[in-house]
């Protein structure tokens, strides 16, 4: 069991917490009750991981929107941090007490792996089998709420991907209205969750179009490296064109520079994205560092795993910036 001491919680939410305030808020039941651990003569408070969203509601740095917001993380390029970004945004929201649902739409199942392995190790072969996902719901074998899975944070749920997500493409393509199925499927979930986030595959497909139609925020990470730069210009155009053709209204569309390095070419590529995409481009970007990969390997956000790092500062600034658009929709 992870023990979250006051010092660790302070680092997680980047907020100073005073003992007398904690004491009084605990008494008033404004925060979850801490357990105590004797350290020499002092009795130190600590909370469990499961209790963190309760602390986040009080001390966190982002607030729940008044109505459910749906965000789609999509770029037609692999390896640009779509999954890492979706995971960090979703888990950070959940840590802040925001009821969050992740829907994975990639046959690689990367975000499902990040969310499911969280619950320690598998005990038997039965546990290793893919749980039913969206395709089983579409086929009518399960109701959507029956396939939703829980995590170590009570505010974080996910609809698991499994390899048969590729069959969805065929299923949706054969329908009269090909692109509104996911929108209909998630409708009943909007009263249960405050944030729904899609992690997409890099392909341009009917499934991706469904996710874009079902969302009111689109987040497109673009790598600040030569390979990404060469491949992305048409991709943003294509998303914008799809939006126009289908008369979609998105409350926000954010292009995020990722994998920024300390090299001249990387700086030039970032500057080029800023020129090209203007207001769509976020002021904050995410640096390339092995730490990003390490956090994922531990199934944790950078705030939990490396709160003192520059990467944690990048994510803090970026998520706060995105949140102005996401929460701003409902809270003026
Ligand atoms: N800040 C970072 N810098 C470098 N690599 C990172 C960073 N964050 C995550 N990664 C790693 O980069 C790889 C690709 O990221 P991923 O989010 O899976 O991309 P995508 O979903 O766009 O294909 C993963 O192995 C991930 O762990
Ligand atoms: Mg991915």
């Amino acid at each position: 069991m992870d023990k979250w001491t006051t010092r660790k919680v302070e680092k997680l939410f980047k907020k100073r917490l005073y003992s007398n305030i904690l004491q009084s808020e605990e008494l008033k039941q404004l925060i979850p009750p801490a357990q105590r651990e004797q350290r020499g003569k002092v009795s130190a408070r600590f909370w469990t991981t499961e209790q963190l969203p309760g602390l986040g509601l009080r001390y966190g740095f982002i607030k729940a929107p008044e109505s459910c917001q749906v965000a789609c993380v999509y770029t037609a390029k692999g390896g640009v941090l779509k999954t890492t970004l979706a995971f960090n945004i979703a888990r950070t929201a959940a840590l802040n007490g925001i009821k969050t649902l992740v829907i994975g739409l990639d046959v690689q199942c990367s975000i499902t792996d990040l969310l499911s392995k969280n619950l320690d190790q598998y005990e038997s072969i039965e546990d290793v089998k893919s749980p039913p996902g969206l395709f089983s719901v579409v086929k009518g074998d399960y109701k959507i709420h029956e396939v939703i899975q829980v995590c170590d944070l009570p505010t974080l749920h996910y609809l698991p991907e499994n390899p048969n997500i590729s069959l969805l493409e065929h299923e949706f393509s054969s329908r009269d209205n090909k692109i509104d199925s996911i929108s209909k499927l998630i409708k009943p979930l909007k009263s249960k969750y405050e944030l729904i986030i899609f992690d997409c595959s890099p392909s341009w497909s009917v499934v991706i179009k469904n996710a874009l139609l079902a969302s009111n925020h689109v987040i497109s990470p673009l790598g600040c490296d030569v390979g990404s730069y060469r491949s992305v210009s048409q991709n943003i155009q294509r998303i914008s064109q799809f939006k126009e053709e289908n008369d979609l209204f998105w409350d926000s569309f954010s292009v995020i520079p990722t994998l920024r390095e300390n090299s001249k070419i990387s700086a030039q590529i970032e500057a080029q994205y800023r020129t090209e995409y203007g207001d769509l481009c976020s002021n904050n970007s995410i640096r390339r560092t092995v730490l990003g990969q390490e956090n994922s390997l531990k199934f944790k956000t950078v705030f939990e795993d490396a709160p003192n790092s520059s990467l944690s500062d990048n994510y803090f600034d970026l998520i706060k910036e995105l949140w102005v658009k996401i929460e701003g929709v409902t809270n003026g």
Side-chain angles (χ1 to χ4, degrees):
M1 178 184 70
D2 281 341
K3 290 182 181 173
W4 287 87
T5 57
T6 305
R7 188 83 194 94
K8 278 175 75 182
V9 173
E10 279 186 326
K11 286 188 182 177
L12 176 68
F13 295 120
K14 300 196 190 290
K15 183 164 199 146
R16 186 87 177 89
L17 299 174
Y18 298 94
S19 183
N20 56 339
I21 296 181
L22 286 173
Q23 177 97 14
S24 100
E25 304 217 321
E26 215 180 341
L27 277 173
K28 289 185 208 151
Q29 299 185 349
L30 293 172
I31 56 171
Q35 298 180 50
R36 300 288 196 280
E37 187 175 50
Q38 206 58 37
R39 291 211 180 146
K41 287 188 181 152
V42 250
S43 137
R45 275 188 188 79
F46 75 87
W47 292 268
T48 60
T49 304
E50 207 182 74
Q51 291 177 308
L52 291 175
L55 289 167
L57 270 180
R58 191 85 189 141
Y59 307 129
F61 50 88
I62 52 173
K63 297 256 170 289
E66 275 172 16
S67 61
C68 178
Q69 301 298 305
V70 187
C72 177
V73 182
Y74 172 70
T75 308
K77 170 88 174 76
V80 292
L81 309 194
K82 286 184 298 301
T83 300
T84 308
L85 207 54
F87 174 75
N88 273 280
I89 295 172
R91 194 167 165 94
T92 300
L95 285 165
N96 279 267
I98 297 164
K99 289 181 220 137
T100 303
L101 174 71
V102 173
I103 304 182
L105 294 176
D106 190 354
V107 69
Q108 305 228 359
C109 310
S110 340
I111 202 151
T112 295
D113 287 346
L114 284 177
L115 292 161
S116 58
K117 290 208 186 121
N118 226 328
L119 293 176
D120 296 335
Q121 57 289 87
Y122 299 117
E123 287 191 353
S124 78
I125 192 83
E126 280 304 303
D127 303 335
V128 181
K129 280 188 188 160
S130 299
L134 208 51
F135 183 66
S136 309
V137 177
V138 170
K139 291 306 280 176
D141 297 339
Y142 290 88
K143 300 241 173 357
I144 196 153
H145 63 266
E146 292 172 334
V147 302
I148 289 174
Q149 305 275 323
V150 296
C151 294
D152 60 340
L153 300 174
T155 39
L156 185 59
H157 293 175
Y158 64 100
L159 215 155
E161 287 149 314
N162 56 32
N164 71 14
I165 195 105
S166 55
L167 302 176
L168 267 187
E169 185 67 18
H170 182 252
E171 175 65 30
F172 289 163
S173 303
S174 65
R175 297 185 170 185
D176 284 343
N177 192 340
K178 297 178 176 38
I179 60 173
D180 75 348
S181 301
I182 291 187
S183 205
K184 285 185 180 148
L185 282 170
I186 65 162
K187 215 168 182 178
L189 302 176
K190 289 191 177 178
S191 55
K192 273 191 72 184
Y193 295 98
E194 291 157 326
L195 175 69
I196 297 178
I197 186 157
F198 292 106
D199 177 40
C200 297
S201 71
S203 56
W204 179 247
S205 63
V206 173
V207 171
I208 300 304
K209 290 179 187 175
N210 266 269
L212 289 169
L213 186 87
S215 302
N216 66 323
H217 300 278
V218 176
I219 298 172
S220 259
L222 302 185
C224 297
D225 58 282
V226 176
S228 301
Y229 181 68
R230 286 198 179 124
S231 71
V232 294
S233 65
Q234 284 172 343
N235 148 37
I236 299 292
Q237 258 172 329
R238 185 162 49 190
I239 301 175
S240 304
Q241 202 177 336
F242 172 72
K243 176 176 184 250
E244 270 163 40
E245 282 166 7
N246 292 283
D247 260 342
L248 302 189
F249 175 81
W250 292 324
D251 288 297
S252 74
F253 180 11
S254 309
V255 170
I256 318 238
T258 59
L259 300 174
R260 184 173 44 74
E261 288 174 49
N262 287 331
S263 68
K264 200 168 149 199
I265 188 74
S266 187
Q268 284 177 352
I269 291 173
E270 182 178 359
Q272 186 61 28
Y273 288 151
R274 296 195 181 286
T275 312
E276 225 160 293
Y277 304 119
D279 286 348
L280 297 185
C281 197
S282 62
N283 295 325
N284 294 288
S285 49
I286 301 293
R287 69 186 57 217
R288 182 194 287 272
T289 154
V290 70
L291 201 57
Q293 202 162 9
E294 285 171 7
N295 304 150
S296 300
L297 288 173
K298 295 182 199 160
F299 316 111
K300 298 283 186 229
T301 61
V302 64
F303 303 116
E304 294 160 279
D305 190 44
N308 295 330
S309 62
S310 309
L311 185 66
S312 155
D313 294 339
N314 285 171
Y315 272 102
F316 183 74
D317 294 337
L318 176 70
I319 291 178
K320 293 240 297 189
E321 181 183 353
L322 288 175
W323 217 254
V324 170
K325 300 178 187 173
I326 293 177
E327 193 209 359
V329 170
T330 51
N331 292 355

